[in-house]
Every structure is written in structure tokens, then in C-alpha cells.
Amino acid sequence: MLTQLLARKPVGEAANRGDSHGGIQLRRTLGPWGLTALGIGAVIGGGIFVITGQAAAEHAGPAVLLSFVIAAAVCSFTALCYAEFATLIPMSGSSYSYAYATLGELAAWFIGWNMVLEYGVSASAVAVSWTGYFRSLVEHMGFHLPAVLINAPIAFENKHLVMTGALFNLPAVVLVLALTWLCYVGIRESSGVNTAIVILKVTLIVIVIVAGWHYVNPELWHPFIPPAQGPETYGWGGVMRAATLVFFAYIGFEATSTAAQEARNPQRDLPIGTLASLAICTVLYVAMAAVLTGLIPFAQLGTAEPVVTAVAAHPQLNWLRWLVEIGALLGLSSVVLVMIIAQPRIFMMMGSDGMLPPVFSRLHPRYRTPHINTLITGAGIALLAAVFPLDVLGDLVSMGTLLAFVAVCAGVLILRHTRPELPRTFRVPWATVTCTLGVLSCLMLLYWENWYNWTLMGLWTLLGFGIYFGYGYRHSLLRRPK
């Protein structure tokens, strides 16, 4: 049985299986710009509009800039590994497919199951954040939405779930269902909308950075690293704790790899899209953090809308407030859109391998999208966004992502030793050092997770293994007669 659990899918088979699903192929319509926009669309959202302020106010002060650089370095190791894997196994399964070819079937299922956290659950969390900004914008226009329709019926207080009296989060549900329909009708349409949103929201962010820079007070950056007031409050300990927090802001840059089968030239374009999106987002994050901490004292940034808080402190910048609200709505919308694009393609690959029922591998005969997967994903995300608050949904997202990153970094090293002859149009530079640093840096961030998150992770893993041994193990294509 152990041999079967460790069975690996041959790289050649991993690169070929799933290119056709029931005789229907995915449309190859994405070039390097489309893939880069996909990555930026997945990354820039709640991180730049919410987490920056919280990390600065509670942990790092102006040195939150260093926290973003540290988190970017962790992601860059993984980005290089994703880029090499994309040239070897240009499949839509992302780290699930990579783990299947290097670490074996059980590990692949574990990674694929955790990617539901990264894409599905995180999309629900972002949709909940979207409601907050939507409510703020509507209130600025003089309207008020009933509280029972904009809040979750469940809240998490003192480590217990309690009922709030609300019905459900209606704006989040409407957003998710609208974007699900867009993903249902085609990757070209979805990518086109995402690219338009990315261009608009990046333009708005640049306007905020440029306009705000004229009112920055450099004295607010001193001391750059505030004196420590506790193990995770300011000082270098606070900088590192903030790095684990702002890591959430980078989740999604590797979503480009889930669209591998819809890329025109995946061996060339996937590395470009992955690395370019990470670099662009890092520059925007650092610039926005510099402006925010230079506009007002960092301790005042610990609000739900830190960008609005910083802008409102300067009457000359009041005209920017509307742009910030609109930019936040666009940014969060594009994150949800990309996650709804990515998650069904993970399910599609797992269905093609026999790990999930065949219905998960079907494509729409006209739109050539994984339509059933898209409907299942959209319904699940909408349900979670409707009834759960943000803090409950966000507990597991980073842990699932970090575990997937560890598998990708380790997988590159394994293939370098087991299949050195495979053609690689992109190679990780100094692979032994880069991959090792990637694994260690991800484990370092996992170390900061508390026992409660690990308990939730254990329960999630048990549920996943129950599905695997109940269905996937018995139906895996690796154990079917040729």
C-alpha cells in the first residue's frame, strides 16, 4: 500500500494527460501580458488596502517596508521554482500536478486539497472584504444598507462561534455569482475583464502613490524600526511578525500556472507571467507602504481602511478618497475573479487523474471551460462568503499556501536529481541554494502560526484524507490497467 501511496505520475504523462477532456480542449488564448495580468489580479487586493496599515500599526512601524521585502524574497524563491516547473509540466494543476510528478500520489492529494484553501476559501474571505468597501462607498453616497443583509450570521468571539442575528452577506454573494457566470462563459472573456480591471486599479494605485508622495513627512519614518515593546511588537521581532502577516498580500501570484493549458506558449510565457507579476506587485506594495507611513503616524494606520484614513488626514487629498474606494472594490473583485478561474482547473486535473469523479473533468462543448467545476466552485465560495466572517475564513489560507510552496521548492530539487535529462527552457539559478532557502523560508513562516490554526489545519487534513481514501485511492488512474 505504501508503494501505491508514493506512486508518481511520469513527467511525460503529467505533461500530456488532461490536454483533452472528453475530446474537447481548453482554448489557448493567453499570452505573457494576459498571464501577468492574471497574477497581478490575484495578488493586489486586500493586502494593499488593509494589511499594510495593520502590519505597520501593530508590528513593524515604518519598517513594514522591510517586511514586504522579506515576504517578497520568500515568494521569489518559490516563483523561480514555479517558473521551472511550468516549462516541464505546463498543466493547469499547478503545484498539485508538480507534486504528483515528484512526491507521489498521497502528497499530491494533500497539496491539491490544501489549494482549496488558497483559492476557494481565500476568495470567500476577499468577497467578505469587498462587502466592507462596498458598504463604505454606498454610505459616502448617502445610502445605508440593512445590517442583516451585509453581515455574516456567524461571528467568532473568544474562540467560540456565536450567532449575530444577521441573515447573510448579500453583496458578497452577488459579487461571487456574477463573477462565476463570467468564468463559466470563457477564459478569454474572463481574462479580458481581469486585464481591464488590473489596468484600472494599478492606475488608481499609482495616482494615490504619486499624489500622496507630495505630502509625505520624512520625519514620520524615524525611527525606521521603532524600539521593541514585546516579542512581536516593533523591533526586529515585529518586522518578522509583520512579514508573516503581509505574506497574505502575495498569495495568488502563482495562479498563472493554473492557466497553463490556456497559454499560447506556456514554456515561454508562464515564467514571464509569474515573475513579472510578483515584481510589479512588490514595487507597488513597498511604494504604498512608504506613502502611508509618511502621511500619518504609523500607529494611526490600524483601521479597516488605512488608505482612506491616511488620505483623510490631509484635506488637500480628499478628492482621492473616492478613487481609493473604487480602487479597493476593483482590486478585490479581480482577486475573486482569478481565484474562481484557478480553483476549477485544479479540480479538473484531479478529476482527470481519477482522484475525483469524472464529472470534475468535463468541459463545456461551446465555451470550452470546466463549467461544472466553475459552478461548484462559485456556489461553494458564495456559501462561505454568505455565512462566515473574515477572521474565520482567513485562518487556514496562508497555511495551505505555504505547504504548497514547500512541495514546489522540494519538487524542483527532486527532479533535478531524478530526471536531469529533461529539457528545461527555464532553470532555477543556483537550484540547491534557491530551493533550500525556499523550503526553509516557508517553514519559518509556518513556525509563527499558533496552535489553534494548526488544530484547524489538522481537521481539514483529516477531512481531505477521508475523501481520498474513500474515493481517490480506489479510482486513481495510476492503478487502472493500461
Side-chain angles (χ1 to χ4, degrees):
M1 181 177 178
L2 180 60
T3 302
Q4 295 176 338
L5 294 177
L6 298 178
R8 294 179 293 180
K9 184 162 59 174
V11 174
E13 184 179 345
N16 293 321
R17 183 188 295 169
D19 194 53
S20 177
H21 302 265
I24 305 172
Q25 292 187 341
L26 294 165
R27 284 197 178 106
R28 292 191 178 274
T29 61
L30 300 178
W33 288 109
L35 290 167
T36 300
L38 201 65
I40 296 174
V43 173
I44 295 182
I48 202 167
F49 294 108
V50 179
I51 295 178
T52 303
Q54 294 176 349
E58 299 173 9
H59 299 290
V64 70
L65 278 70
L66 292 179
S67 301
F68 272 112
V69 173
I70 292 170
V74 174
C75 292
S76 66
F77 296 136
T78 310
L80 292 170
C81 295
Y82 267 102
E84 177 166 327
F85 259 131
T87 67
L88 284 170
I89 311 173
M91 298 299 297
S92 296
S94 186
S95 50
Y96 160 76
S97 294
Y98 307 155
Y100 212 160
T102 58
L103 302 177
E105 183 173 283
L106 183 62
W109 171 267
F110 177 68
I111 296 302
W113 183 243
N114 284 326
M115 292 182 73
V116 177
L117 298 176
E118 179 179 0
Y119 295 132
V121 178
S122 66
S124 301
V126 173
V128 172
S129 299
W130 188 91
T131 296
Y133 279 96
F134 179 72
R135 176 178 58 187
S136 177
L137 180 62
V138 169
E139 289 178 352
H140 289 165
M141 298 170 65
F143 300 97
H144 294 277
L145 299 173
V148 295
L149 293 178
I150 58 176
N151 291 300
I154 299 173
F156 191 66
E157 297 178 359
N158 298 321
K159 299 183 179 180
H160 292 89
L161 292 177
V162 298
M163 304 305 295
T164 65
L167 295 178
F168 62 96
N169 191 331
L170 178 61
V173 172
V174 173
L175 171 70
V176 171
L177 294 182
L179 296 178
T180 298
W181 171 83
L182 184 62
C183 295
Y184 183 95
V185 299
I187 186 66
R188 178 180 297 171
E189 292 77 10
S190 304
S191 176
V193 170
N194 177 68
T195 300
I197 292 177
V198 165
I199 292 173
L200 187 54
K201 74 176 178 180
V202 169
T203 301
L204 294 176
I205 290 170
V206 171
I207 291 174
V208 172
I209 292 172
V210 173
W213 192 262
H214 292 84
Y215 299 92
V216 164
N217 178 7
E219 293 182 0
L220 295 177
W221 291 334
H222 301 286
F224 186 65
I225 301 179
Q229 299 180 12
E232 297 181 358
T233 305
Y234 311 133
W236 276 105
V239 171
M240 294 304 299
R241 179 65 182 90
T244 67
L245 187 62
V246 301
F247 171 79
F248 303 135
Y250 288 99
I251 289 176
F253 73 88
E254 81 293 351
T256 53
S257 62
T258 66
Q261 288 172 262
E262 289 145 297
R264 290 194 294 266
N265 186 349
Q267 280 83 1
R268 182 199 67 183
D269 296 343
L270 283 176
I272 294 175
T274 302
L275 296 172
S277 60
L278 179 60
I280 292 171
C281 292
T282 299
V283 171
L284 292 176
Y285 279 150
V286 171
M288 180 66 86
V291 169
L292 292 184
T293 54
L295 287 177
I296 61 176
F298 63 83
Q300 300 177 18
L301 291 172
T303 66
E305 295 179 328
V307 182
V308 172
T309 301
V311 168
H314 296 266
Q316 308 93 323
L317 297 176
N318 278 339
W319 60 275
L320 275 180
R321 186 165 184 170
W322 291 99
L323 290 181
V324 171
E325 297 286 356
I326 294 172
L329 289 175
L330 290 174
L332 296 171
S333 297
S334 67
V335 172
V336 177
L337 175 62
V338 174
M339 296 306 176
I340 297 176
I341 291 174
Q343 183 60 67
R345 284 150 180 81
I346 303 296
F347 285 150
M348 180 185 70
M349 294 308 303
M350 297 175 80
S352 299
D353 292 329
M355 307 279 268
L356 292 174
V359 67
F360 283 89
S361 61
R362 293 179 185 171
L363 296 181
H364 194 284
R366 175 185 174 188
Y367 300 126
R368 287 193 269 175
T369 58
H371 57 301
I372 298 177
N373 277 341
T374 300
L375 293 177
I376 293 172
T377 298
I381 292 173
L383 178 62
L384 290 175
V387 301
F388 287 102
L390 180 62
D391 51 358
V392 173
L393 292 173
D395 277 339
L396 296 177
V397 173
S398 65
M399 297 187 73
T401 304
L402 286 167
L403 289 170
F405 285 4
V406 168
V408 170
C409 293
V412 167
L413 269 185
I414 291 173
L415 273 189
R416 283 290 187 94
H417 289 87
T418 59
R419 298 297 302 276
E421 79 285 356
L422 291 174
R424 295 167 170 84
T425 56
F426 178 88
R427 297 177 65 89
V428 174
W430 306 292
T432 300
V433 175
T434 302
C435 296
T436 301
L437 288 176
V439 171
L440 293 177
S441 59
C442 290
L443 293 177
M444 175 192 69
L445 295 185
L446 281 170
Y447 172 79
W448 288 90
E449 296 289 348
N450 58 44
W451 68 268
Y452 178 71
N453 287 348
W454 280 107
T455 302
L456 291 177
M457 188 67 189
L459 295 174
W460 175 259
T461 301
L462 289 176
L463 175 61
F465 283 158
I467 297 173
Y468 170 71
F469 287 106
Y471 183 90
Y473 178 79
R474 294 183 292 109
H475 294 84
S476 171
L477 293 186
L478 282 185
R479 278 181 289 283
R480 292 185 186 178
K482 301 291 184 179

